[in-house]
Amino acid sequence: MGATEACPRGLTHRTNPVVSSTALTAVILSLVAAACALPGVFLLLRRMSLVSDAVGHVLLFGIVLTYFVVRDVDSPWLFAGAAAAGLASVALVELLQKTRLVKEDAAIGLVFPALFAGGVLLASVYLRNTHLDADAVLLGHPDLATGDERQIGGVFVPAAGLRLAGVLALNLALLLLFFKELKLTTFDPALAAALGFRPGRVHYGLMAVVSVTAVAAFDAVGPVLVVGFFVVPAAAAYLLTDRLGVLLVVAGVIGVGAAWAGTYLAAVVDANTAGAVAAVLGAMFAAVFVFAPGRGLVAQAARRWRQRRDFFETMLTVHLLHHEGTATEADESAAAGLHTHFHWTPRDTAAVVRRAVRHGLVERAGEGLKLTATGRERARDVGPASGRPA
């Protein structure tokens, strides 16, 4: 079972000689990532990603208020109080939005800073002798999550890992049970209401899952990284696929990959683990944003480039069709003089002609060009145009 060592919280715990503390931290972060990715996808699709920020930051307010009642920092009621605070923040946001005096994003910006600041203030003033450290609350220290262990079958397992594994299992079970309801109310709430699925109940059920997940992850990784795991993997996966089932899997894979990469990066450069994982999340999203096959910046630039090339090839076919069978056909279709008619450079004109020949739109006839059946069909589908080739 290994030697006993001091942990940063001042506790003592037994370490597994086979599994390093870095690997344990990565496992715990992976559980957080996977648990957050599942509801995070639906928050993204419902355009409610900022709600995770609100919920993640108001949990301290619920924890502090509940502590005033139970006076026990280890009480399970703190968990319930934090989850209730998350649901209350969502309800407050919706109440403000329904007044039509503020929009949803403004309502979120009004509610969560106020509740978060209230929680930090109360903790700083009234809970100075407890382990509720403001720095840990603001930044998070995932490395500390491995300090408190429970013995199961002769093996010491981090309590945070057990808690997060339970939340992940719960999220997976709820997703499988209510996948149809979540999908329908997300993409077509009006149809869902007509079919009797109660979109309001599904919405608050999803918010309850978000709150419980955020509470379970809050002590382990801090609010900033919780929000990152809710939003970034889902946003990156959305750029990679349009299928909901695949989207859920890809989001989980991205989150887990960032957890492992960020944890070991922090160990190598001796940096804060939460910060390293957040940086890796940002880097992974940036890579997907640039290189995603269908929606990335590179793919979009390539698509625009191909469209411009197709456009100028089409212009050539329209020009040839316009003068086909006329007295000016020989002059207008002469390859050497085409650049004077389009006001293109000779080099650009030659490139357009080569591509049009290669694509079977035109064929060479002596010094001139002739439309093929394919080129004639394309020209008839559009009208005359003008411009400058790419």
Side-chain angles (χ1 to χ4, degrees):
M1 286 181 280
T4 301
E5 65 177 22
C7 77
R9 285 180 175 172
L11 301 173
T12 58
H13 67 97
R14 298 180 182 273
T15 58
N16 190 320
V18 177
V19 182
S20 67
S21 60
T22 302
L24 283 175
T25 302
V27 169
I28 290 173
L29 283 168
S30 297
L31 293 172
V32 175
C36 291
L38 299 179
V41 166
F42 290 100
L43 290 178
L44 176 75
L45 295 174
R46 292 166 177 251
R47 300 182 180 180
M48 298 176 62
S49 293
L50 274 179
V51 170
S52 65
D53 194 14
V55 171
H57 280 82
V58 303
L59 302 181
L60 179 63
F61 186 76
I63 291 172
V64 174
L65 290 183
T66 307
Y67 175 79
F68 286 152
V69 176
V70 300
R71 293 293 176 177
D72 182 6
V73 295
D74 296 318
S75 172
W77 287 106
L78 298 181
F79 188 99
L87 284 174
S89 68
V90 174
L92 286 173
V93 168
E94 293 195 355
L95 285 175
L96 285 175
Q97 185 183 2
K98 287 179 180 179
T99 64
R100 299 185 183 276
L101 297 176
V102 293
K103 294 186 177 181
E104 183 178 13
D105 56 347
I108 292 173
L110 290 168
V111 170
F112 95 74
L115 294 181
F116 182 51
V120 172
L121 181 63
L122 290 173
S124 300
V125 174
Y126 296 105
L127 305 180
R128 291 177 179 175
N129 295 323
T130 69
H131 78 281
L132 290 174
D133 178 65
D135 290 335
V137 167
L138 291 170
L139 301 177
H141 292 292
D143 307 274
L144 304 184
T146 62
D148 186 14
E149 296 181 337
R150 300 290 184 270
Q151 186 175 7
I152 299 178
V155 178
F156 287 88
V157 180
L162 294 174
R163 183 169 61 249
L164 291 165
V167 171
L168 175 58
L170 175 65
N171 288 359
L172 282 171
L174 292 175
L175 175 64
L176 294 174
L177 285 173
F178 299 103
F179 183 77
K180 178 176 63 177
E181 290 81 357
L182 284 167
K183 183 176 181 179
L184 189 56
T185 56
T186 297
F187 293 107
D188 197 340
L191 177 60
L195 295 175
F197 281 110
R198 304 289 182 89
R201 292 186 180 180
V202 176
H203 168 73
Y204 278 102
L206 176 62
M207 291 304 103
V209 169
V210 170
S211 295
V212 170
T213 304
V215 171
F218 179 82
D219 186 52
V221 301
V224 174
L225 203 51
V226 168
V227 175
F229 279 133
F230 269 117
V231 178
V232 180
Y238 182 73
L239 296 175
L240 296 172
T241 180
D242 290 323
R243 299 176 58 188
L244 181 56
V246 177
L247 178 61
L248 290 163
V249 174
V250 172
V253 170
I254 291 174
V256 171
W260 281 89
T263 302
Y264 278 91
L265 174 64
V268 170
V269 302
D270 192 22
N272 176 271
T273 303
V277 173
V280 171
L281 278 171
M284 293 178 74
F285 177 79
V288 172
F289 187 72
V290 174
F291 298 109
R295 296 173 177 169
L297 292 181
V298 173
Q300 291 184 13
R303 184 164 53 249
R304 288 193 296 268
W305 179 69
R306 289 193 299 268
Q307 289 172 345
R308 285 173 62 85
R309 289 170 60 132
D310 291 343
F311 172 73
F312 291 112
E313 292 172 24
T314 302
M315 286 178 60
L316 175 61
T317 64
V318 170
H319 174 79
L320 294 176
L321 180 64
H322 181 69
H323 293 283
E324 192 174 52
T326 66
T328 60
E329 180 180 6
D331 178 62
E332 297 288 345
S333 64
L338 277 175
H339 66 280
T340 61
H341 304 297
F342 289 104
H343 302 290
W344 299 342
T345 66
R347 181 179 179 180
D348 289 337
T349 305
V352 173
V353 170
R354 284 196 303 270
R355 292 196 301 268
V357 172
R358 186 168 63 249
H359 295 156
L361 300 175
V362 302
E363 59 186 6
R364 296 184 184 275
E367 297 297 324
L369 299 173
K370 290 285 187 180
L371 285 171
T372 64
T374 303
R376 190 173 291 107
E377 182 180 354
R378 179 187 287 196
R380 286 172 176 168
D381 289 338
V382 298
S386 62
R388 183 174 181 82

